[in-house]
Amino acid sequence: MRQNMSLKTGIAAALLLTFSLGAAQAQDVVRLGNLKFAHYGAVSYIKEIAPKCGIKVEEHVFAKGLDVMQAIIAGELDVGATASEAAISGRAGGAPIYVVAGFAKGGARLVAGAGQKIANVKDLKGKRVGVTRGGIQEVLLLAELSQNGLTYSETKGKDVQLVFLAYADLNQALMGKNIDAMMQSEPQSSQAINKGFGVEILKPYETPIGEPVRTMVMTEKFYKERRPVAEKFMRCFVEATKTFIDNQATAEKYVREVVFRGQISKQDFDDAISNSPYSYDITPEHIQITTDVMVKTGVGRMSKPPVAKDWVKTDLLDQAKKSLNVK
């Protein structure tokens, strides 16, 4: 009888231990939303080094930042990598998120079709310009057009006709002369130039936004209720980013071979990252200026624009950088 009791107790203890370990492991899974761009590569690399950070990262790749926001609102993600405008629009639309870091700067070019007589923004008058709706490139394009006194619309009748296309379709449209110019991300804009069907007009960083900073966002629930895991994730982010900043060969190999599966050249990668360097930092001031420009240009159509100081939280980043001796 005692033997049976001991056996039952042992089995119960083993089951409890197994359950506890399973629960702990499940707790340490981080669901990450990401995009497929060269400057999002360090974010993707987090999942490769996650085990040594004490977590498991499940990466989900989306077509655009607004899709990441929708997944966060649906409760499918804990963390997301997006351009700032998607984060701002998401927060304005009720996404329960905080901006916790900035992982890349720049990442946009205004590119004309080869053979087009377009030397500057003013030369876009009477032209068709392609851009992805809702992306930071749209914010930058409209800010550039406004600064140069040009009107714009999807329909004819304004100075510039906007043609909204997915990132993946813009290069094809420029090559096929269905548009005259495009505001494009990296590495696609570098590819257009390197393949000879595009010519750089400018990098659009002289608007009030300056170089746009890509944002790492966390759900409020993850930030508040799973703090130890959030801290581990942020240390992992800083370590992955430091690896890519310090070792370009590792960054290039990973982005070209793993993220893009050989679809971009070394020149494409080098040119893309020179225009969208990896970084860590973000400020409430930058997010507020970007919000203000979005309101002015009408991107996102926000009825109640969020106030940056209420939802930009860099304490986890500061703590992670300090623990890893990163300036």
Side-chain angles (χ1 to χ4, degrees), residues 1-163:
M1 188 73 164
R2 280 182 187 170
Q3 228 175 355
N4 284 345
M5 286 293 290
S6 297
L7 184 63
K8 286 179 180 177
T9 304
I11 292 170
L15 286 171
L16 183 61
L17 179 62
T18 302
F19 177 79
S20 299
L21 286 171
Q25 287 172 345
Q27 185 183 12
D28 289 349
V29 172
V30 180
R31 301 166 301 165
L32 167 67
N34 201 10
L35 306 182
K36 187 179 175 181
F37 295 114
H39 44 303
Y40 286 64
V43 174
S44 189
Y45 191 66
I46 295 170
K47 69 178 181 291
E48 309 296 341
I49 63 170
K52 76 172 191 174
C53 301
I55 55 175
K56 179 183 178 183
V57 171
E58 295 177 349
E59 183 187 35
H60 305 269
V61 179
F62 296 84
K64 56 185 185 294
L66 292 175
D67 296 339
V68 174
M69 287 301 111
Q70 289 303 314
I72 284 175
I73 290 170
E76 296 166 0
L77 298 174
D78 305 303
V79 186
T82 76
S84 54
E85 98 297 325
I88 293 164
S89 293
R91 178 77 183 190
I97 54 169
Y98 293 138
V99 169
V100 294
F103 61 86
K105 299 181 290 185
R109 288 186 212 252
L110 184 58
V111 178
Q116 293 284 345
K117 293 180 180 177
I118 303 174
N120 53 51
V121 175
K122 290 186 186 297
D123 290 341
L124 293 174
K125 188 169 184 177
K127 304 295 185 181
R128 298 160 300 169
V129 182
V131 69
T132 299
R133 189 190 295 277
I136 191 64
Q137 289 77 18
E138 183 189 5
V139 181
L140 295 170
L141 174 61
L142 302 192
E144 286 284 357
L145 295 176
S146 298
Q147 279 187 182
N148 284 273
L150 297 175
T151 58
Y152 47 84
S153 172
E154 270 188 88
T155 56
K156 293 180 180 179
K158 299 291 185 181
D159 293 331
V160 175
Q161 183 179 358
L162 302 177
V163 180

Side-chain angles (χ1 to χ4, degrees), residues 221-232 315-316 319:
K221 184 175 182 179
F222 185 68
Y223 175 92
K224 292 174 181 175
E225 298 179 17
R226 297 178 64 196
R227 190 76 176 188
V229 183
E231 288 172 356
K232 288 178 185 177
D315 54 315
L316 285 174
Q319 181 183 319

Side-chain angles (χ1 to χ4, degrees), residues 180-311:
D180 305 303
M182 64 180 181
M183 188 69 87
Q184 175 64 298
S185 188
E186 294 288 3
Q188 291 89 342
S189 59
S190 289
Q191 282 185 305
I193 294 163
N194 292 335
K195 290 183 177 178
F197 62 86
V199 178
E200 180 181 311
I201 303 171
L202 56 76
K203 297 178 183 72
Y205 307 145
E206 70 277 9
T207 76
I209 293 171
E211 284 188 282
V213 179
R214 301 304 187 275
T215 56
M216 179 76 73
V217 301
M218 275 184 186
T219 67
E220 291 184 17
K221 184 175 182 179
F222 185 68
Y223 175 92
K224 292 174 181 175
E225 298 179 17
R226 297 178 64 196
R227 190 76 176 188
V229 183
E231 288 172 356
K232 288 178 185 177
F233 177 85
M234 190 55 68
R235 281 196 297 273
C236 219
F237 159 71
V238 171
E239 191 171 335
T241 302
K242 187 176 189 306
T243 299
F244 272 36
I245 291 172
D246 292 349
N247 192 334
Q248 184 157 325
T250 298
E252 179 194 329
K253 182 178 174 64
Y254 186 77
V255 171
R256 288 183 58 205
E257 295 180 10
V258 179
V259 177
F260 282 93
R261 303 186 185 281
Q263 296 170 333
I264 66 172
S265 69
K266 174 177 173 51
Q267 187 70 53
D268 293 337
F269 174 82
D270 290 345
D271 292 347
I273 296 306
S274 71
N275 184 33
S276 55
Y278 301 111
S279 62
Y280 311 96
D281 299 315
I282 193 87
T283 65
E285 291 77 17
H286 179 78
I287 295 298
Q288 190 60 57
I289 289 169
T290 306
T291 304
D292 295 343
V293 173
M294 288 174 66
V295 170
K296 188 175 179 181
T297 56
V299 176
R301 297 178 177 82
M302 298 176 288
S303 58
K304 191 176 180 184
V307 177
K309 64 181 177 61
D310 294 340
W311 66 292

Side-chain angles (χ1 to χ4, degrees), residues 161-177:
Q161 183 179 358
L162 302 177
V163 180
F164 290 107
L165 295 166
Y167 292 110
D169 298 330
L170 284 168
N171 281 20
Q172 200 66 36
L174 190 70
M175 191 191 301
K177 303 188 186 304

